[in-house]
Amino acid sequence: MILFPAIDLKNGQCVRLEQGDMARATVFNLDPAAQAASFAAQGFEYLHVVDLDGAFAGKPMNAHAVEAMLKAVTMPVQLGGGIRDLKTIEAWFDKGITRVIIGTAAVRDPELVKGAAKTFPGRVAVGLDARDGKVAVEGWAETSHVTALEIAQRFEDAGVAAIIFTDIARDGLLKGLNLDATTALADRISIPVIASGGFASIDDVKALLQPRAKKLAGAIVGRALYDGRLDPAAALQLIRGA
């Protein structure tokens, strides 16, 4: 079980959104590299980064901030947002990103995911962000007509490293992870699933360690860390003890 601290980038700053709404952004740190270093010092082992501007623009928009973070930490970094072609994927790997997360392109161009996963085994994840069960794309600005399960099943034998499943309705609202929907997805596919959206407290860590969540590979935590609602040391101790 990996706990991924999240850094969401908007205009080069570290922010958190509510339900994916760019108009409801709270700036938590003007220096994303310093924030990444802080998470490393707290004992986290894998960083989750999203280029929010890139998700809307369809191309990387916060490259300088990402590159600064890669220089600041030695832990692996997974990155999503604006990754829509093989050239961008290769460029990020060349810069030191460990794993890319493909969201919109996974819905619109599944062959890109399959090709990238084959070329870079274990380094391509799919981000499935669901609103009322349907997957949202273009930085969550549009909702598609397909379910997370339908898309996940397209990649069953493609060599995808993980599915990151986000419940948009809970994202940034500290309502707790939607483990019902996340474990239901994990039970239907063989690809490891990472839970995202709504992480609120140590209770979520305890829930992740229950038998029903045994198929989950990890969870992403954002606002609860920034707000001080989750003690990193206590959370990581609990996970390592399990």
Short mmCIF file of all heavy atoms in Angstrom, two decimals, residues 30-74:
data_model
loop_
_atom_site.label_atom_id
_atom_site.label_comp_id
_atom_site.label_asym_id
_atom_site.label_seq_id
_atom_site.Cartn_x
_atom_site.Cartn_y
_atom_site.Cartn_z
N LEU A 30 3.91 28.40 -2.74
CA LEU A 30 4.37 29.09 -3.95
C LEU A 30 5.56 28.37 -4.58
O LEU A 30 5.93 28.66 -5.71
CB LEU A 30 4.74 30.54 -3.63
CG LEU A 30 3.62 31.43 -3.09
CD1 LEU A 30 4.17 32.80 -2.72
CD2 LEU A 30 2.50 31.57 -4.11
N ASP A 31 6.15 27.44 -3.82
CA ASP A 31 7.36 26.76 -4.27
C ASP A 31 7.13 25.24 -4.28
O ASP A 31 7.35 24.56 -3.27
CB ASP A 31 8.52 27.11 -3.33
CG ASP A 31 9.84 26.54 -3.79
OD1 ASP A 31 9.85 25.66 -4.68
OD2 ASP A 31 10.89 26.96 -3.26
N PRO A 32 6.69 24.68 -5.41
CA PRO A 32 6.41 23.25 -5.48
C PRO A 32 7.62 22.37 -5.16
O PRO A 32 7.48 21.30 -4.57
CB PRO A 32 5.96 23.04 -6.94
CG PRO A 32 5.45 24.37 -7.38
CD PRO A 32 6.32 25.36 -6.67
N ALA A 33 8.82 22.82 -5.53
CA ALA A 33 10.02 22.04 -5.25
C ALA A 33 10.24 21.91 -3.74
O ALA A 33 10.60 20.84 -3.24
CB ALA A 33 11.24 22.67 -5.91
N ALA A 34 10.00 23.01 -3.02
CA ALA A 34 10.13 22.98 -1.56
C ALA A 34 9.08 22.05 -0.95
O ALA A 34 9.34 21.33 0.01
CB ALA A 34 9.99 24.39 -0.98
N GLN A 35 7.88 22.06 -1.53
CA GLN A 35 6.82 21.18 -1.06
C GLN A 35 7.19 19.71 -1.29
O GLN A 35 6.98 18.86 -0.43
CB GLN A 35 5.50 21.49 -1.77
CG GLN A 35 4.31 20.69 -1.25
CD GLN A 35 4.00 21.00 0.20
OE1 GLN A 35 3.68 22.12 0.56
NE2 GLN A 35 4.11 19.99 1.06
N ALA A 36 7.75 19.42 -2.45
CA ALA A 36 8.18 18.05 -2.76
C ALA A 36 9.26 17.60 -1.77
O ALA A 36 9.22 16.47 -1.25
CB ALA A 36 8.72 17.98 -4.18
N ALA A 37 10.21 18.49 -1.48
CA ALA A 37 11.28 18.18 -0.53
C ALA A 37 10.72 17.93 0.86
O ALA A 37 11.19 17.04 1.59
CB ALA A 37 12.31 19.30 -0.51
N SER A 38 9.69 18.69 1.21
CA SER A 38 9.04 18.51 2.51
C SER A 38 8.39 17.13 2.61
O SER A 38 8.52 16.44 3.63
CB SER A 38 7.99 19.61 2.72
OG SER A 38 7.25 19.38 3.90
N PHE A 39 7.71 16.72 1.54
CA PHE A 39 7.08 15.39 1.55
C PHE A 39 8.14 14.29 1.65
O PHE A 39 7.94 13.29 2.33
CB PHE A 39 6.25 15.19 0.28
CG PHE A 39 4.92 15.91 0.29
CD1 PHE A 39 4.40 16.47 -0.88
CD2 PHE A 39 4.17 16.02 1.45
CE1 PHE A 39 3.18 17.13 -0.88
CE2 PHE A 39 2.95 16.68 1.46
CZ PHE A 39 2.44 17.24 0.29
N ALA A 40 9.27 14.49 0.98
CA ALA A 40 10.36 13.50 1.05
C ALA A 40 10.90 13.41 2.47
O ALA A 40 11.14 12.31 3.00
CB ALA A 40 11.47 13.88 0.08
N ALA A 41 11.05 14.57 3.11
CA ALA A 41 11.56 14.60 4.49
C ALA A 41 10.59 13.94 5.47
O ALA A 41 11.02 13.39 6.49
CB ALA A 41 11.82 16.05 4.91
N GLN A 42 9.30 13.99 5.14
CA GLN A 42 8.30 13.37 6.01
C GLN A 42 8.28 11.84 5.89
O GLN A 42 7.62 11.16 6.67
CB GLN A 42 6.91 13.93 5.66
CG GLN A 42 6.71 15.37 6.12
CD GLN A 42 5.48 16.02 5.49
OE1 GLN A 42 4.71 15.38 4.78
NE2 GLN A 42 5.30 17.30 5.75
N GLY A 43 8.99 11.33 4.89
CA GLY A 43 9.09 9.88 4.77
C GLY A 43 8.29 9.25 3.64
O GLY A 43 8.26 8.02 3.50
N PHE A 44 7.64 10.07 2.85
CA PHE A 44 6.88 9.51 1.71
C PHE A 44 7.85 8.96 0.68
O PHE A 44 8.97 9.45 0.53
CB PHE A 44 5.98 10.59 1.09
CG PHE A 44 4.81 10.96 1.95
CD1 PHE A 44 4.81 12.13 2.69
CD2 PHE A 44 3.69 10.13 2.03
CE1 PHE A 44 3.74 12.48 3.51
CE2 PHE A 44 2.61 10.47 2.83
CZ PHE A 44 2.64 11.65 3.57
N GLU A 45 7.39 7.95 -0.07
CA GLU A 45 8.29 7.24 -0.97
C GLU A 45 7.96 7.42 -2.45
O GLU A 45 8.72 6.96 -3.31
CB GLU A 45 8.28 5.75 -0.62
CG GLU A 45 8.83 5.47 0.76
CD GLU A 45 8.67 4.01 1.18
OE1 GLU A 45 8.17 3.21 0.36
OE2 GLU A 45 9.04 3.69 2.31
N TYR A 46 6.84 8.05 -2.75
CA TYR A 46 6.45 8.19 -4.16
C TYR A 46 5.56 9.42 -4.27
O TYR A 46 4.60 9.57 -3.53
CB TYR A 46 5.65 6.94 -4.59
CG TYR A 46 5.78 6.56 -6.06
CD1 TYR A 46 6.15 5.27 -6.42
CD2 TYR A 46 5.51 7.48 -7.08
CE1 TYR A 46 6.25 4.89 -7.77
CE2 TYR A 46 5.61 7.11 -8.41
CZ TYR A 46 5.98 5.81 -8.75
OH TYR A 46 6.08 5.46 -10.07
N LEU A 47 5.89 10.32 -5.20
CA LEU A 47 5.17 11.59 -5.33
C LEU A 47 4.21 11.57 -6.52
O LEU A 47 4.55 11.09 -7.60
CB LEU A 47 6.20 12.72 -5.50
CG LEU A 47 5.69 14.16 -5.53
CD1 LEU A 47 5.02 14.54 -4.22
CD2 LEU A 47 6.86 15.11 -5.82
N HIS A 48 3.02 12.12 -6.30
CA HIS A 48 2.00 12.23 -7.34
C HIS A 48 1.85 13.70 -7.73
O HIS A 48 1.57 14.55 -6.89
CB HIS A 48 0.66 11.70 -6.79
CG HIS A 48 -0.50 11.87 -7.72
ND1 HIS A 48 -0.76 11.01 -8.76
CD2 HIS A 48 -1.48 12.81 -7.76
CE1 HIS A 48 -1.86 11.40 -9.40
NE2 HIS A 48 -2.31 12.50 -8.81
N VAL A 49 2.06 14.00 -9.01
CA VAL A 49 2.02 15.38 -9.48
C VAL A 49 1.04 15.50 -10.65
O VAL A 49 1.01 14.64 -11.53
CB VAL A 49 3.42 15.86 -9.94
CG1 VAL A 49 3.36 17.30 -10.46
CG2 VAL A 49 4.42 15.75 -8.78
N VAL A 50 0.25 16.57 -10.64
CA VAL A 50 -0.67 16.84 -11.75
C VAL A 50 -0.45 18.26 -12.26
O VAL A 50 -0.46 19.21 -11.48
CB VAL A 50 -2.15 16.66 -11.33
CG1 VAL A 50 -3.08 17.01 -12.50
CG2 VAL A 50 -2.41 15.24 -10.87
N ASP A 51 -0.26 18.38 -13.56
CA ASP A 51 -0.17 19.67 -14.23
C ASP A 51 -1.60 20.07 -14.61
O ASP A 51 -2.10 19.67 -15.65
CB ASP A 51 0.73 19.53 -15.47
CG ASP A 51 0.86 20.84 -16.26
OD1 ASP A 51 0.14 21.81 -15.96
OD2 ASP A 51 1.68 20.86 -17.19
N LEU A 52 -2.25 20.82 -13.74
CA LEU A 52 -3.66 21.18 -13.96
C LEU A 52 -3.85 22.02 -15.21
O LEU A 52 -4.76 21.78 -16.01
CB LEU A 52 -4.21 21.93 -12.74
CG LEU A 52 -4.32 21.14 -11.44
CD1 LEU A 52 -4.69 22.07 -10.29
CD2 LEU A 52 -5.35 20.03 -11.54
N ASP A 53 -2.98 23.00 -15.39
CA ASP A 53 -3.06 23.83 -16.59
C ASP A 53 -2.87 22.98 -17.85
O ASP A 53 -3.54 23.17 -18.86
CB ASP A 53 -2.00 24.94 -16.56
CG ASP A 53 -2.15 25.86 -15.36
OD1 ASP A 53 -3.23 26.45 -15.20
OD2 ASP A 53 -1.19 25.96 -14.58
N GLY A 54 -1.98 22.01 -17.75
CA GLY A 54 -1.71 21.12 -18.87
C GLY A 54 -2.91 20.27 -19.22
O GLY A 54 -3.18 19.99 -20.40
N ALA A 55 -3.67 19.84 -18.18
CA ALA A 55 -4.85 19.02 -18.43
C ALA A 55 -5.88 19.76 -19.28
O ALA A 55 -6.55 19.18 -20.13
CB ALA A 55 -5.48 18.59 -17.10
N PHE A 56 -5.98 21.08 -19.07
CA PHE A 56 -6.92 21.88 -19.85
C PHE A 56 -6.34 22.24 -21.22
O PHE A 56 -7.06 22.25 -22.22
CB PHE A 56 -7.28 23.17 -19.09
CG PHE A 56 -8.29 22.96 -18.00
CD1 PHE A 56 -7.89 22.67 -16.71
CD2 PHE A 56 -9.65 23.04 -18.26
CE1 PHE A 56 -8.81 22.47 -15.70
CE2 PHE A 56 -10.58 22.84 -17.26
CZ PHE A 56 -10.17 22.55 -15.98
N ALA A 57 -5.05 22.51 -21.26
CA ALA A 57 -4.42 22.95 -22.51
C ALA A 57 -4.11 21.79 -23.46
O ALA A 57 -3.96 22.00 -24.66
CB ALA A 57 -3.13 23.71 -22.19
N GLY A 58 -4.01 20.58 -22.89
CA GLY A 58 -3.69 19.43 -23.73
C GLY A 58 -2.21 19.28 -24.01
O GLY A 58 -1.80 18.50 -24.87
N LYS A 59 -1.38 20.03 -23.28
CA LYS A 59 0.07 19.95 -23.42
C LYS A 59 0.69 20.43 -22.11
O LYS A 59 0.03 21.14 -21.33
CB LYS A 59 0.55 20.83 -24.57
CG LYS A 59 0.22 22.30 -24.40
CD LYS A 59 0.63 23.13 -25.61
CE LYS A 59 0.28 24.60 -25.39
NZ LYS A 59 0.64 25.43 -26.55
N PRO A 60 1.93 20.06 -21.82
CA PRO A 60 2.56 20.48 -20.55
C PRO A 60 2.61 22.00 -20.43
O PRO A 60 2.96 22.70 -21.38
CB PRO A 60 3.97 19.90 -20.66
CG PRO A 60 3.83 18.74 -21.58
CD PRO A 60 2.80 19.15 -22.60
N MET A 61 2.23 22.50 -19.24
CA MET A 61 2.21 23.94 -19.00
C MET A 61 3.02 24.35 -17.76
O MET A 61 3.23 25.52 -17.53
CB MET A 61 0.75 24.41 -18.84
CG MET A 61 -0.12 24.22 -20.08
SD MET A 61 0.40 25.21 -21.49
CE MET A 61 -0.17 26.84 -20.96
N ASN A 62 3.41 23.37 -16.96
CA ASN A 62 4.16 23.68 -15.73
C ASN A 62 5.48 22.91 -15.70
O ASN A 62 5.92 22.44 -14.65
CB ASN A 62 3.32 23.34 -14.50
CG ASN A 62 2.24 24.39 -14.23
OD1 ASN A 62 2.52 25.47 -13.72
ND2 ASN A 62 1.01 24.07 -14.57
N ALA A 63 6.12 22.81 -16.86
CA ALA A 63 7.35 22.01 -16.97
C ALA A 63 8.45 22.51 -16.04
O ALA A 63 9.17 21.71 -15.43
CB ALA A 63 7.84 22.01 -18.42
N HIS A 64 8.59 23.82 -15.91
CA HIS A 64 9.66 24.37 -15.05
C HIS A 64 9.48 23.93 -13.61
O HIS A 64 10.45 23.55 -12.94
CB HIS A 64 9.71 25.90 -15.14
CG HIS A 64 10.18 26.41 -16.46
ND1 HIS A 64 11.38 26.02 -17.01
CD2 HIS A 64 9.62 27.27 -17.36
CE1 HIS A 64 11.56 26.61 -18.18
NE2 HIS A 64 10.49 27.38 -18.43
N ALA A 65 8.24 23.96 -13.13
CA ALA A 65 7.96 23.54 -11.75
C ALA A 65 8.23 22.05 -11.57
O ALA A 65 8.80 21.63 -10.56
CB ALA A 65 6.51 23.86 -11.38
N VAL A 66 7.84 21.25 -12.56
CA VAL A 66 8.08 19.81 -12.48
C VAL A 66 9.58 19.52 -12.47
O VAL A 66 10.07 18.72 -11.67
CB VAL A 66 7.39 19.07 -13.65
CG1 VAL A 66 7.74 17.58 -13.61
CG2 VAL A 66 5.87 19.26 -13.59
N GLU A 67 10.30 20.17 -13.36
CA GLU A 67 11.75 19.96 -13.42
C GLU A 67 12.43 20.36 -12.12
O GLU A 67 13.37 19.69 -11.66
CB GLU A 67 12.33 20.74 -14.60
CG GLU A 67 11.96 20.14 -15.95
CD GLU A 67 12.17 21.11 -17.12
OE1 GLU A 67 12.94 22.08 -16.95
OE2 GLU A 67 11.58 20.88 -18.18
N ALA A 68 11.95 21.43 -11.50
CA ALA A 68 12.52 21.86 -10.21
C ALA A 68 12.26 20.81 -9.13
O ALA A 68 13.13 20.54 -8.29
CB ALA A 68 11.92 23.20 -9.80
N MET A 69 11.09 20.19 -9.16
CA MET A 69 10.77 19.14 -8.19
C MET A 69 11.66 17.91 -8.40
O MET A 69 12.12 17.30 -7.44
CB MET A 69 9.29 18.74 -8.30
CG MET A 69 8.36 19.73 -7.64
SD MET A 69 6.68 19.10 -7.54
CE MET A 69 6.14 19.35 -9.21
N LEU A 70 11.90 17.57 -9.65
CA LEU A 70 12.74 16.40 -9.95
C LEU A 70 14.17 16.62 -9.45
O LEU A 70 14.85 15.67 -9.07
CB LEU A 70 12.75 16.13 -11.46
CG LEU A 70 11.43 15.58 -12.03
CD1 LEU A 70 11.46 15.60 -13.55
CD2 LEU A 70 11.18 14.16 -11.52
N LYS A 71 14.59 17.88 -9.44
CA LYS A 71 15.94 18.18 -8.92
C LYS A 71 15.95 18.16 -7.39
O LYS A 71 16.99 17.92 -6.77
CB LYS A 71 16.40 19.56 -9.40
CG LYS A 71 16.74 19.59 -10.89
CD LYS A 71 17.32 20.95 -11.29
CE LYS A 71 17.68 20.95 -12.76
NZ LYS A 71 17.08 22.01 -13.53
N ALA A 72 14.79 18.43 -6.79
CA ALA A 72 14.71 18.57 -5.32
C ALA A 72 14.58 17.24 -4.59
O ALA A 72 14.88 17.16 -3.39
CB ALA A 72 13.53 19.48 -4.96
N VAL A 73 14.09 16.20 -5.28
CA VAL A 73 13.87 14.92 -4.60
C VAL A 73 14.46 13.76 -5.41
O VAL A 73 14.65 13.86 -6.62
CB VAL A 73 12.36 14.64 -4.37
CG1 VAL A 73 11.76 15.71 -3.46
CG2 VAL A 73 11.59 14.55 -5.69
N THR A 74 14.74 12.68 -4.71
CA THR A 74 15.24 11.47 -5.37
C THR A 74 14.15 10.42 -5.49
O THR A 74 14.33 9.44 -6.21
CB THR A 74 16.42 10.87 -4.60
OG1 THR A 74 16.03 10.61 -3.25
CG2 THR A 74 17.61 11.82 -4.60
#
